[in-house]
Amino acid sequence: MHTLAYGTQEKSASLSPVQFTRQPVRAGEVEIEITHCGVCHSDLHQARDDWSNTVYPCVPGHEIIGKVTRVGDGVSKFSEGETVGVGCMVNSCQACEACRRGEEQYCSGPKSCTLTYNGPKIPDGTNTYGGYATGITVREEFVLNIPDAISPAEAAPILCAGVTTYSPMKHWNLQKGQSLGVAGIGGLGHMAVQIGKALGASVTALTTSADKSDLARELGADTVIVMSDETALKDGARSLDMLIDTIPYAHDITPYIKLMKPGGVIALVGNFIEMPAFVPADLVFHRLTLAGSLIGGITDTAEVLELCAEHGIRPQIELIDMDGINEAFKRMEGEDVRFRHVIDMSSLKSRRDELTPEASEIAAPNRGDVTG
Ligand SMILES: [Zn+2]
Ligand SMILES: [Zn+2]
């Protein structure tokens, strides 16, 4: 499948048109024409090599919605023309304990799970390319049904932002009537507020931008604390059972720790790199758990799609054309995004003929074969 995409070949470059060939669909695989792709903060981090693990060329995008155009032999769950989704992973060993539990993101197979883009953990000259593209081919275990109630554009962000915040709430067993804090009211946070409410929690939004207060309340937050407001922080001390910290950069966690009730759980989901130091006594004296959680498995992703369909939870999106991606990245860096950009991929398809001669040819991707 000849595929047009937007990618980058080095960390300091902006994204530009690239083209490559995805191999023909094989047994057990689903070929998808991409109609929409959400823009996640990870896409920006990965394109710029902020986590020092990017393999170039890099074609980001892991909130993929599209239509099935072909299925390989043996595919039973999907058929041509259906609207489907692909999230952050395209392969895993399917045999280890984590995979058998439906937590493929923690696959302990020899090569762990294969991410939708920048996938290989062991550099072997190949790479996976994500959803800023006209099409993708994925094995059926990693393809998701999209409930009819959710529009394709609105479904896209649920595949990463939705499941990344739902999964820790499920794992640490957020109960009806408990109090949930959500730190950072951006792409992940605005989903976390709505999902927390749907699960019956009382939700406190924690933001550094006072101008997000009204928006957080509109999303359902019962309480909003602006982190520069010392009085509000004092009043909110020891009030939270669980905190989902979605802030996508290094930040001082101490003010958040002080908001936790004894026995509370803080789940970091947004930042992977070194954080400023904190005093362990703040954890020890209140038996707090400081934890991390990575995206979510396929089972959780299917569950959160259903939960969103049932409870009318929708991401707030702004549709952009593919060539608006560099501007979107710039706005994301300036935190000027409410809340999720979603690329309308027809904007890339319609430019296919015009683009092809200009687009740099890049090596064909693998399809997660490295995990096999
Ligand atoms: Zn993401
Ligand atoms: Zn596994």
Side-chain angles (χ1 to χ4, degrees):
M1 178 175 35
H2 176 234
T3 306
L4 276 174
Y6 263 55
T8 174
Q9 316 225 35
E10 49 159 332
K11 64 176 174 183
S12 54
S14 42
L15 298 197
S16 61
V18 293
Q19 55 185 326
F20 53 88
T21 303
R22 293 206 194 264
Q23 292 162 39
V25 72
R26 299 175 301 188
E29 291 181 340
V30 178
E31 184 190 84
I32 300 161
E33 185 176 281
I34 299 172
T35 59
H36 298 87
C37 186
V39 180
C40 177
H41 222 285
S42 306
D43 301 349
L44 172 66
H45 285 309
Q46 202 77 75
R48 307 251 164 106
D49 198 22
D50 289 341
W51 299 326
S52 306
N53 67 352
T54 303
V55 182
Y56 294 98
C58 173
V59 176
H62 60 200
E63 296 180 349
I64 299 169
I65 301 288
K67 288 225 175 292
V68 175
T69 43
R70 201 165 304 168
V71 296
D73 289 345
V75 168
S76 57
K77 289 190 291 182
F78 303 98
S79 53
E80 216 181 301
E82 267 182 294
T83 298
V84 294
V86 177
C88 303
M89 298 175 286
V90 290
N91 206 352
S92 74
C93 84
Q94 301 283 296
C96 72
E97 239 179 85
C99 284
R100 289 204 306 271
R101 275 202 310 269
E103 295 177 343
E104 300 88 348
Q105 73 274 34
Y106 304 120
C107 174
S108 60
K111 292 172 181 174
S112 70
C113 72
T114 302
L115 299 175
T116 302
Y117 69 89
N118 201 58
K121 295 288 188 298
I122 300 171
D124 63 353
T126 59
N127 198 355
T128 49
Y129 300 148
Y132 293 6
T134 52
I136 193 164
T137 303
V138 179
R139 62 186 284 184
E140 82 169 319
E141 293 90 337
F142 290 84
V143 179
L144 289 136
N145 280 305
I146 301 302
D148 291 338
I150 310 176
S151 75
E154 288 175 319
I158 299 170
L159 297 168
C160 171
V163 72
T164 298
T165 54
Y166 170 72
S167 185
M169 291 182 211
K170 178 182 164 187
H171 182 75
W172 282 288
N173 201 16
L174 180 67
Q175 300 284 314
K176 263 191 188 131
Q178 282 193 319
S179 57
L180 171 75
V182 176
I185 307 300
L188 267 64
H190 92 291
M191 292 302 291
V193 169
Q194 298 182 74
I195 291 168
K197 285 305 290 180
L199 295 175
S202 148
V203 176
T204 299
L206 306 160
T207 177
T208 52
S209 338
D211 61 349
K212 285 192 176 169
S213 301
D214 290 345
L215 288 157
R217 282 200 186 87
E218 278 165 35
L219 291 163
D222 301 279
T223 310
V224 179
I225 296 180
V226 178
M227 295 306 288
S228 56
D229 182 344
E230 293 295 335
T231 312
L233 285 176
K234 227 184 240 166
D235 292 347
R238 309 283 162 230
S239 66
L240 303 177
D241 293 294
M242 187 182 293
L243 174 71
I244 307 292
D245 181 345
T246 74
I247 300 169
Y249 45 79
H251 54 282
D252 182 9
I253 199 166
T254 303
Y256 300 94
I257 292 175
K258 293 184 186 302
L259 297 175
M260 302 308 295
K261 279 187 195 173
V265 178
I266 299 173
L268 301 175
V269 299
N271 176 53
F272 302 166
I273 57 173
E274 201 175 343
M275 299 266 273
F278 62 92
V279 180
D282 289 336
L283 299 179
V284 173
F285 281 80
H286 302 281
R287 198 166 62 185
L288 300 183
T289 302
L290 179 58
S293 181
L294 176 69
I295 52 174
I298 297 300
T299 307
D300 284 1
T301 312
E303 274 177 27
V304 74
L305 282 163
E306 287 303 329
L307 185 84
C308 290
E310 214 177 288
H311 290 265
I313 299 171
R314 300 291 182 272
Q316 297 198 351
I317 60 166
E318 189 176 328
L319 271 183
I320 59 167
D321 285 349
M322 187 69 257
D323 64 4
I325 188 63
N326 292 307
E327 179 60 29
F329 274 8
K330 230 180 266 163
R331 285 183 52 198
M332 222 145 80
E333 276 176 313
E335 295 189 43
D336 178 28
V337 184
R338 313 230 151 94
F339 287 95
R340 206 62 152 182
H341 284 122
V342 174
I343 303 160
D344 175 354
M345 211 50 74
S346 64
S347 61
L348 183 59
K349 250 173 283 178
S350 65
R351 291 176 57 205
R352 186 185 311 226
D353 297 336
E354 175 197 336
L355 267 178
T356 306
E358 296 166 19
S360 314
E361 186 85 32
I362 58 174
N366 69 54
R367 288 169 295 179
D369 304 14
V370 286
T371 294

